[in-house]
């Protein structure tokens, strides 16, 4: 189980730019929260602070009631999936997915079981021996998801994971991600600038503008508001 509490979180970059202002948010366990807003409004910065990839300038971040401001990314039990996949080009799909587990010294048998199971969920079982360059964009994004799934994190962070895909695949992957969320029963936090994407996937939507949260509501309420 993994709920998150963001208490009055702020981010000022080294150049003085105040990218995120007084962010207050309670995210319940197993929620699918979408951060939406125009480019530059502070979505990625917020996500990266949750992941521990960016230092929090001020405020407090709790995961399951534990203050994690100073906890390293690898000890936060969080997985992040990026827009550009970030796969290792010289490794096979299997090894890409296995990489994090090998670092944790998991046994070969257990690694094989976890990777095979995740590949089944994502429908990429036939691709395990290929290299990333032999895959389509959608397949690469599945591998990136697979690499996150095998670690069984408490929280999934996704930063525009579908924006490099063509329109048709994007629509398909949206519904697959909704299914994946139900199946994994974990907390998802998803960043997008695409309003349609926000409306069709999340259980709760956080609208940001200029580093400030404008509105927090379920998709129906947002849709009904002017
Ligand atoms: P979004 O994800 O909503 O597009 P970001 O969180 O990436 O927005 O960026 C928020 C704002 O912070 C933008 O104006 C961006 O230019 C600025 N920003 C991002 N990274 C840095 C940085 N390392 N130094 C200074 N400003 C930055
Ligand atoms: P090493 O880390 O010793 O070089 P590999 O990375 O080649 O070993 O493989 C690690 C384990 O994962 C081995 O047990 C291997 O059988 C298994 N493995 C590698 N590729 C696949 C695959 N495509 N499907 C199933 N199991 C695989």
């Amino acid at each position: 189980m993994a709920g998150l509490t963001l208490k009055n979180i702020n981010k000022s970059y080294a150049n003085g730019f105040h990218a995120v202002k007084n962010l207050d948010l309670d995210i319940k366990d197993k929620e699918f929260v979408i951060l939406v807003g125009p480019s530059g409004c502070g979505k990625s910065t917020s996500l990266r602070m949750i992941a521990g990839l960016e230092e929090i300038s001020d405020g407090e971040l709790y995961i399951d009631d534990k203050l994690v401001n100073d906890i390293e990314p690898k000890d936060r039990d969080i997985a992040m999936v990026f827009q550009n996949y970030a796969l290792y080009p010289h490794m096979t799909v299997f090894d890409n997915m296995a990489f994090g587990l090998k670092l944790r010294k998991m046994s070969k048998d257990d690694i094989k079981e976890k990777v095979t199971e995740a590949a089944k969920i994502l429908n990429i079982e036939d691709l395990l021996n290929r290299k990333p360059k032999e895959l389509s964009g959608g397949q690469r994004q599945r591998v990136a998801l697979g690499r996150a799934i095998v670690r069984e994190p408490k929280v999934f962070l996704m930063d525009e994971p579908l924006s490099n895909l063509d329109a048709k695949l994007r629509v398909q992957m949206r519904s697959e991600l909704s299914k994946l969320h139900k199946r994994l029963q974990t907390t998802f936090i998803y960043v997008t600038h695409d309003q349609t994407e926000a409306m069709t996937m999340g259980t709760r939507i956080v609208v940001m503008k200029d580093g400030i949260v404008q509105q927090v509501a379920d998709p129906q309420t947002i849709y009904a508001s002017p």
Side-chain angles (χ1 to χ4, degrees):
M1 90 112 212
L4 292 92
T5 305
L6 289 74
K7 265 197 186 151
N8 206 17
I9 286 184
N10 284 267
K11 176 67 186 183
S12 295
Y13 281 108
N15 65 359
F17 186 78
H18 198 171
V20 174
K21 299 170 185 164
N22 305 326
L23 176 58
D24 269 314
L25 198 59
D26 266 315
I27 298 174
K28 290 187 209 64
D29 183 35
K30 302 187 179 70
E31 258 200 287
F32 191 158
V33 171
I34 313 258
L35 298 185
V36 65
S39 178
C41 73
K43 306 181 296 292
S44 284
T45 302
S46 303
L47 206 66
R48 290 169 60 81
M49 284 192 284
I50 295 172
L53 301 174
E54 201 70 72
E55 207 180 326
I56 294 170
S57 307
D58 195 30
E60 288 148 21
L61 171 65
Y62 296 87
I63 300 177
D64 286 343
D65 300 324
K66 184 178 167 200
L67 184 66
V68 299
N69 284 48
D70 298 323
I71 307 256
E72 284 197 47
K74 67 175 174 54
D75 298 324
R76 289 189 185 196
D77 224 344
I78 274 177
M80 186 145 165
V81 176
F82 301 90
Q83 174 180 347
N84 58 6
Y85 321 124
L87 301 176
Y88 303 108
H90 59 286
M91 291 186 197
T92 63
V93 167
F94 183 97
D95 288 338
N96 262 284
M97 288 170 68
F99 189 74
L101 302 180
K102 280 188 188 169
L103 285 185
R104 293 187 190 178
K105 312 253 182 294
M106 189 183 272
S107 76
K108 283 197 168 188
D109 285 348
D110 286 348
I111 290 178
K112 198 164 180 171
E113 189 185 318
K114 292 253 183 285
V115 171
T116 310
E117 192 190 324
K120 221 176 263 170
I121 292 173
L122 294 161
N123 207 11
I124 51 174
E125 292 162 280
D126 298 341
L127 308 176
L128 287 173
N129 292 316
R130 293 210 201 161
K131 298 270 176 71
K133 68 171 188 299
E134 300 160 348
L135 303 175
S136 69
Q139 290 170 336
R140 278 179 209 174
Q141 196 50 274
R142 281 164 211 263
V143 177
L145 284 166
R147 199 170 50 179
I149 289 175
V150 293
R151 292 174 42 204
E152 298 173 350
K154 284 186 188 171
V155 184
F156 268 92
L157 305 179
M158 287 174 265
D159 194 351
E160 307 256 7
L162 307 184
S163 56
N164 280 342
L165 306 180
D166 66 49
K168 191 171 159 221
L169 197 53
R170 206 153 56 220
V171 171
Q172 182 191 333
M173 287 298 289
R174 278 180 203 152
S175 71
E176 289 193 19
L177 282 176
S178 298
K179 280 188 205 139
L180 188 65
H181 172 253
K182 289 199 185 81
R183 170 152 190 175
L184 297 178
Q185 294 281 305
T186 50
T187 310
F188 276 32
I189 309 175
Y190 187 104
V191 160
T192 181
H193 65 275
D194 185 331
Q195 292 195 16
T196 315
E197 203 159 284
M199 298 302 179
T200 47
M201 276 195 321
T203 49
R204 209 147 60 104
I205 298 178
V206 177
V207 183
M208 288 183 79
K209 194 185 165 196
D210 298 334
I212 299 171
V213 170
Q214 308 286 312
Q215 194 179 8
V216 182
D218 60 66
Q220 292 77 16
T221 311
I222 298 248
Y223 197 63
S225 68

